[in-house]
């Protein structure tokens, strides 16, 4: 079973309204995998301290930033997330001519979390990821079961001023800076001849492998990609459709625009099947340093049947460590489970409510229609409330400490199956 979808987007002025950066991602994972949204506060660490990632232990840094993450519940890293400095990151699985290492190392999802914890700008996140790749490599099973799914990773990273696309093949990489307009990535290499930064041996390695003759213009995607596979063709089709959807709203892209793109099923961006969209994220980050970023997460599968719930980083206010769901995190017993032992049940209360509501919606009828209507009303209400913070800033931070968890409770109420039509 291989993923056939995963898409990440960013739009910057002049493509957006009100001098804001809008980031979005659909995380497409096995249909039975639970995704959770978790918050970890900023923290100081002891000298020589180590951090246990999904498979390997690496050196810790002196201080880690506060992060909010959307992640498969069984692992340490994350599919997507943001930090207190308004850096946003999403990753994609990619394959190419460079073989994928099955040995346990850092997962791409570990690199997402590590970069968010350690970088205060998008370009510094590029530094963090590439330095860790050079030192520890990437590899290991990216699914909880024993299927042995492995891949290289690409990343879309944004902050208040710019975005970066970082695409990797083992330890080799190329990066492209995005200063304006829009950009999206899928499960294929997309950096061509506009390469703003690269691994020092990127081109010489390609020459040694006889992928490039050293004379023609160097095109990273052409040189490092498979010549042609059905998987690459599907990813290219989705990336093209995503670009068309961004183009359609050129100059007027906002949170609602990105949410609708992530809900689009005709393009394949909102994935269904054995691999499906199990979690979605949309972030709105003003260029004005005095205004907060707002990060919306579904924490449930299929954004069309989900509510995007807002999170705002609050300075000097102690927030709940886990903002959405119970998670095992670093103490997860799955890391030490015997081979072929069944998966633990990780379904959090919101996920369980979502399952029941989705079944009602799929069956048709008035009750399903009312659930969808109530979800959209709740989401619109939150978007309106967040617009005030995005425009005027935060006056009373105490009102935002439990913003996400309170909205989760409202979402659960909306999906309550006991109310009458």
């Amino acid at each position: 079973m291989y993923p056939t979808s995963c898409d990440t987007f960013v739009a910057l002025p002049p493509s957006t309204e009100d001098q804001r950066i809008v980031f979005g991602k659909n995380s497409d994972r096995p249909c039975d995998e639970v995704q959770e949204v978790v918050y970890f506060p900023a923290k100081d660490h002891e000298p020589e301290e180590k951090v246990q990632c999904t498979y390997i232990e690496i050196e810790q840094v002196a201080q880690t930033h506060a992060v909010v993450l959307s992640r498969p519940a069984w692992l340490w890293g994350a599919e997507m997330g943001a930090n207190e400095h308004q850096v946003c990151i999403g990753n994609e699985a990619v394959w190419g001519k460079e073989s994928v290492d099955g040995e346990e190392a850092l997962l791409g999802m570990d690199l997402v979390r590590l970069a968010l914890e350690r970088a205060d700008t998008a370009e510094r996140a590029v530094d963090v990821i590439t330095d860790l790749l050079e030192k520890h490599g990437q590899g290991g099973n990216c699914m909880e079961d024993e299927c042995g799914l492995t891949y290289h990773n690409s990343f879309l990273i944004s902050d208040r001023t710019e975005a970066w696309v970082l695409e990797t093949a083992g330890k080799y990489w190329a990066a492209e800076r995005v200063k304006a307009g829009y950009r999206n990535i899928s499960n294929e290499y997309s950096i061509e001849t506009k390469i703003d930064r690269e691994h020092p041996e990127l081109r010489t390695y390609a020459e040694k492998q006889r992928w490039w003759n050293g004379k023609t213009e160097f095109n990273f995607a052409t040189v490092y990609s498979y010549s042609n596979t059905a998987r690459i063709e599907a990813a290219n089709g989705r990336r093209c459709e995503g670009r068309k959807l961004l183009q359609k709203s050129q100059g007027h892209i906002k949170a609602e625009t990105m949410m609708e793109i992530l809900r689009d099923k005709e393009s394949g961006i909102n994935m269904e099947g054995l691999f499906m969209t199990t979690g979605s994220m949309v972030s709105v980050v003003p260029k004005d340093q005095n205004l907060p970023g707002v990060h919306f997460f579904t924490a449930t599968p299929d954004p069309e049947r989900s509510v995007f719930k807002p999170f705002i980083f609050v300075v000097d206010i102690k927030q709940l460590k886990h903002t959405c769901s119970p998670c095992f995190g670093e103490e997860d017993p799955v890391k030490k489970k015997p081979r072929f032992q069944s998966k633990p049940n990780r379904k959090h209360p919101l996920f369980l409510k979502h399952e029941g509501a989705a079944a009602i919606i799929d069956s048709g009828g008035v009750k399903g229609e009312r659930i969808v209507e109530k979800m959209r009303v709740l989401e619109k209400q939150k978007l309106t409330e967040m617009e005030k913070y995005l425009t005027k800033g935060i006056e009373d931070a105490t009102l935002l400490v439990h913003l996400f968890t309170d909205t989760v409770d409202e979402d659960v109420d909306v999906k309550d199956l006991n109310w009458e039509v």
Side-chain angles (χ1 to χ4, degrees), residues 55-243:
Y55 294 122
I56 66 169
E57 185 180 76
I58 68 170
E59 67 286 349
Q60 184 57 282
V61 292
Q63 205 239 6
T64 50
H65 306 308
V67 297
V68 60
L69 310 170
S70 185
R71 68 181 190 181
W74 64 273
L75 52 73
W76 182 85
E79 277 277 296
M80 52 202 172
N83 71 20
E84 60 185 303
H85 299 286
Q86 311 308 323
V87 177
C88 303
I89 308 179
N91 81 311
E92 307 281 336
V94 289
W95 296 265
K97 294 171 185 172
E98 177 70 358
S99 61
V100 178
D101 193 349
E103 293 296 316
E104 292 184 349
L106 290 174
L107 294 179
M109 292 171 281
D110 292 338
L111 291 165
V112 169
R113 177 171 173 178
L114 289 164
L116 288 171
E117 289 184 337
R118 300 178 180 199
D120 58 0
T121 68
E123 186 167 13
R124 288 195 184 99
V126 172
D127 294 334
V128 169
I129 293 172
T130 55
D131 288 348
L132 289 168
L133 277 177
E134 189 70 27
K135 188 169 186 178
H136 301 287
Q138 59 180 317
N141 189 5
C142 299
M143 288 168 57
E144 186 174 10
D145 60 27
E146 304 297 331
C147 77
L149 174 66
T150 57
Y151 47 76
H152 302 300
N153 289 268
S154 66
F155 305 86
L156 186 52
I157 311 167
S158 66
D159 59 22
R160 287 190 186 270
T161 61
E162 64 181 9
W164 283 82
V165 178
L166 170 63
E167 298 182 339
T168 71
K171 71 175 184 178
Y172 303 100
W173 55 272
E176 175 189 340
R177 174 182 258 135
V178 182
K179 297 291 289 183
Y182 52 81
R183 187 70 157 81
N184 63 309
I185 60 174
S186 295
N187 302 117
E188 62 169 353
Y189 293 124
S190 63
I191 295 175
E192 297 180 343
T193 58
K194 184 184 181 303
I195 302 174
D196 295 294
R197 294 182 57 186
E198 63 186 76
H199 188 282
E201 299 174 10
L202 180 73
R203 304 184 191 216
T204 55
Y205 181 74
E207 279 193 83
K208 289 177 183 177
Q209 300 299 312
R210 298 186 178 179
W211 300 338
W212 180 54
N213 62 17
K215 299 176 182 178
T216 57
E217 184 178 28
F218 185 81
N219 182 311
F220 174 74
T222 299
V223 171
Y224 274 82
S225 293
Y226 289 128
S227 58
N228 187 28
T229 69
R231 186 190 300 163
I232 298 302
E233 286 181 359
N236 182 262
R238 281 196 334 279
R239 188 163 68 91
C240 288
E241 290 302 310
R243 190 164 57 244

Side-chain angles (χ1 to χ4, degrees), residues 363-410:
S363 66
V366 177
K367 193 164 189 176
E369 292 174 358
R370 285 285 290 126
I371 291 174
V372 173
E373 180 185 338
K374 291 173 73 174
M375 287 194 298
R376 294 294 171 267
V377 168
L378 173 60
E379 185 175 277
K380 186 174 181 179
Q381 174 193 335
K382 295 303 172 182
L383 282 163
T384 301
E385 291 176 7
M386 293 308 103
E387 186 60 32
K388 292 185 293 185
Y389 297 115
L390 288 165
T391 304
K392 300 180 180 179
I394 300 171
E395 293 183 3
D396 185 357
T398 61
L399 299 175
L400 301 176
V401 176
H402 301 291
L403 171 64
F404 188 85
T405 49
D406 287 347
T407 311
V408 167
D409 291 341
E410 292 179 79

